[in-house]
Amino acid sequence: MLWEKKWTWLLFVACVALLCSCSIDTHLQEAVKVDDPFATENEAEFTGLVITYWALPHGESTLVRMPSGKTMLIDTGSAEDWPALAAHLFAAKLTRLDYLVLTNDQPEHAGGFPFLHQQIIIDSVIVPRLIAPSIRQFVPYDKIAKQKELEENQELILDTDITMDVLLPSEPLFLSPQNNSLVFALTHDQLRFLFVSGINEQAEERLLARHPDQLKSAVLKVGDQGSNQGTSQPFLTRVDPQVAIIQSNTERDMQKEGKTEVLERLGESWAETYMTGRDGSITILSNGKDYRVFKQKK
């Protein structure tokens, strides 16, 4: 009888210890989740919005992870970029996307789609209504069940406190396909992130005329990979970005391509400028009020 009582007591102690350890583990798991972008350097611990402007050899692609866990990929880079993009997707442990945004039909923005579609489950594709037929001709996305064609002044609610506000395209007045790209502001509570795809000065003038009060943004994704044909001074003055991201080659390559004027204008505008070709992928953590920028050296 004494022996049975002893083992009953030991079993009780073991159960209490196990429950306590589970409680401690659960508490620790909850403790590592933070909503202050300056309290962590690990995006997996961060509960807010995470935007990563990926470094690719030729084109552009940006991943957005929302507080709820939803994911959105903006553009797919070129076909030649696929090995690099696949490596980024693998590192991010992505097998599924809630949204894929194709801003235009140009190879640097949509060329990687066929490879992406073979490897990743895509729930919904978003394209600009104005040039949807030309994108569909270049990008075979018909097999994706959910398709959204957006136009100027539309607002799409993506997550709690996160909206996508469409600013362009409006009317087919441009011969350049880049100028008919999807331009939108991603708004997270009090912060705005402006994505202008590949537009140049013509489309910027349209934005200044039609949406002068909707352009101011904390972060600007610079148009057309830093081309001198865009990012004009009037446009920069109205956007007034604190941070500018150029998804392009190295600074030396930009000098060879005659893109240094954009760097000078950004410098005069006091924007903190990052280039993925020089700084590697750029990640921004946002809680809707504050944000933090990380650069990942290649």
Side-chain angles (χ1 to χ4, degrees):
M1 179 70 77
L2 182 62
W3 180 83
E4 290 181 355
K5 287 183 177 180
K6 179 180 179 181
W7 278 106
T8 301
W9 172 252
L10 289 174
L11 181 61
F12 172 75
V13 171
C15 289
V16 170
L18 180 61
L19 289 171
C20 288
S21 67
C22 290
S23 177
I24 291 171
D25 287 344
T26 301
H27 175 72
L28 289 175
Q29 289 174 3
E30 292 175 353
V32 298
K33 297 297 184 181
V34 296
D35 61 3
D36 181 358
F38 294 96
T40 181
E41 294 187 1
N42 183 356
E43 63 184 71
E45 299 176 352
F46 188 60
T47 60
L49 179 71
V50 180
I51 304 178
T52 302
Y53 304 80
W54 275 332
L56 298 177
H58 304 285
E60 297 186 2
S61 185
T62 300
L63 179 68
V64 178
R65 192 204 75 193
M66 301 173 216
S68 67
K70 289 181 180 179
T71 52
M72 179 170 74
L73 188 69
I74 303 168
D75 290 330
T76 66
S78 68
E80 293 82 4
D81 289 325
W82 172 244
L85 180 57
H88 288 310
L89 293 167
F90 178 78
K93 299 179 182 179
L94 276 177
T95 58
R96 174 181 167 276
L97 290 167
D98 292 282
Y99 305 101
L100 170 65
V101 179
L102 298 174
T103 61
N104 61 45
D105 62 354
Q106 297 304 289
E108 295 81 8
H109 295 260
F113 174 84
F115 305 98
L116 178 74
H117 195 207
Q118 290 175 6
Q119 301 294 327
I120 300 291
I121 298 171
I122 303 170
D123 286 353
S124 180
V125 64
I126 297 173
V127 298
R129 183 184 300 276
L130 180 66
I131 58 172
S134 62
I135 295 178
R136 190 178 291 109
Q137 186 175 6
F138 179 70
V139 181
Y141 64 82
D142 289 334
K143 293 183 179 179
I144 298 177
K146 299 177 184 177
Q147 301 174 19
K148 300 180 186 292
E149 296 182 359
L150 301 183
E151 55 190 359
E152 183 183 19
N153 296 321
Q154 272 192 271
E155 179 186 83
L156 184 64
I157 299 174
L158 300 173
D159 203 351
T160 304
D161 293 329
I162 298 178
T163 59
M164 179 179 182
D165 303 299
V166 181
L167 305 178
L168 281 183
S170 50
E171 303 160 6
L173 300 179
F174 301 120
L175 295 177
S176 167
Q178 290 94 326
N179 276 329
N180 290 316
S181 298
L182 183 67
V183 175
F184 64 92
L186 197 64
T187 303
H188 182 207
D189 197 359
Q190 300 175 19
L191 295 176
R192 285 171 72 84
F193 302 81
L194 187 60
F195 292 85
V196 297
S197 187
I199 68 169
N200 61 37
E201 191 170 357
Q202 281 183 297
E204 289 173 3
E205 290 174 353
R206 177 67 57 80
L207 286 167
L208 289 168
R210 298 173 73 99
H211 304 285
D213 298 326
Q214 294 177 273
L215 296 178
K216 185 175 176 60
S217 303
V219 180
L220 168 67
K221 198 293 294 181
V222 175
D224 199 17
Q225 299 182 298
S227 168
N228 280 337
Q229 301 302 311
T231 322
S232 63
Q233 193 58 59
F235 181 71
L236 272 178
T237 299
R238 180 60 69 172
V239 177
D240 192 23
Q242 299 168 10
V243 172
I245 311 290
I246 301 176
Q247 290 178 286
S248 186
N249 300 323
T250 64
E251 194 164 10
R252 180 179 299 176
D253 290 332
M254 288 193 69
Q255 291 173 352
K256 290 180 180 178
E257 296 167 13
K259 296 181 178 180
T260 54
E261 291 178 20
V262 169
L263 293 175
E264 292 172 1
R265 289 198 289 271
L266 288 167
E268 293 170 355
S269 299
W270 299 99
E272 187 175 1
T273 303
Y274 297 87
M275 287 189 295
T276 56
R278 178 190 65 196
D279 302 314
S281 296
I282 305 300
T283 296
I284 298 180
L285 309 183
S286 162
N287 65 5
K289 299 176 180 63
D290 300 311
Y291 67 92
R292 186 177 182 183
V293 183
F294 293 95
K295 60 182 180 180
Q296 178 186 357
K297 287 284 187 180
K298 294 194 303 179

